[in-house]
Amino acid sequence: MKLLLDTHILLWAAGDPGRLTPEARNLLGDPATELLFSTASIWEVVIKKTLGRKDFQIDPRQFRDGLIQHGYSELAIRSEHTLAVGFLPPIHKDPFDRMLIAQAQVENITLLTMDNKLSGYSDPVKVV
């Protein structure tokens, strides 16, 4: 199974795994699961760190490098993903989350999140 991880799940997996649900920890620890992160998540960390958000106080370069070192694959943003954002219903307003949804839909992979708002998109979202 391929999982695209929402930014907060990535942050918690990297720095505060106790915040993850047992289900999320099991999925992340399953060797049969291919874990992906989006370029959009790195962009989100950079933007929100610059804005002084306390929940984004991590060095973005070290964060990205650590994800790669731990076997995560990076999913780059392609124009196909960007175009798909325009077809999403306005369930969620956050542009980073909307990009993650679009990427998951285009790539036919599951977005793993703890954000209940994203459940309105149903497939391909799994809320843990």
Side-chain angles (χ1 to χ4, degrees), residues 59-111:
D59 180 282
R61 290 180 200 271
Q62 289 179 347
F63 179 53
R64 180 186 177 274
D65 291 347
L67 292 170
I68 291 169
Q69 289 170 4
H70 285 90
Y72 291 69
S73 298
E74 184 171 358
L75 179 59
I77 297 172
R78 298 192 331 262
S79 58
E80 187 177 8
H81 301 145
T82 305
L83 292 168
V85 170
F87 293 98
L88 293 175
I91 295 169
H92 203 294
K93 303 292 185 204
D94 184 281
F96 301 107
D97 288 331
R98 291 176 61 78
M99 176 55 72
L100 295 175
I101 290 288
Q103 285 183 297
Q105 288 179 350
V106 168
E107 300 298 327
N108 196 29
I109 55 179
T110 301
L111 174 64

Side-chain angles (χ1 to χ4, degrees), residues 5 20 30 33 36 38 46 51 54 68 77 98 105 110 114-115 128:
L5 304 183
L20 297 170
D30 184 343
T33 302
L36 296 102
S38 172
V46 169
L51 293 173
K54 293 192 185 310
I68 291 169
I77 297 172
R98 291 176 61 78
Q105 288 179 350
T110 301
M114 294 177 81
D115 185 343
V128 291

Side-chain angles (χ1 to χ4, degrees), residues 101 109-113 115 118-127:
I101 290 288
I109 55 179
T110 301
L111 174 64
L112 189 67
T113 185
D115 185 343
L118 294 176
S119 65
Y121 292 102
S122 61
D123 284 340
V125 176
K126 179 168 182 58
V127 178

Side-chain angles (χ1 to χ4, degrees), residues 15-76:
D16 194 1
R19 293 188 70 178
L20 297 170
T21 64
E23 183 180 8
R25 284 194 298 272
N26 287 339
L27 288 167
L28 271 58
D30 184 343
T33 302
E34 183 181 346
L35 301 173
L36 296 102
F37 70 94
S38 172
T39 303
S41 290
I42 304 303
W43 179 29
E44 181 176 12
V45 169
V46 169
I47 295 294
K48 292 182 177 177
K49 178 181 174 66
T50 303
L51 293 173
R53 286 265 308 256
K54 293 192 185 310
D55 53 341
F56 285 86
Q57 293 307 304
I58 188 169
D59 180 282
R61 290 180 200 271
Q62 289 179 347
F63 179 53
R64 180 186 177 274
D65 291 347
L67 292 170
I68 291 169
Q69 289 170 4
H70 285 90
Y72 291 69
S73 298
E74 184 171 358
L75 179 59

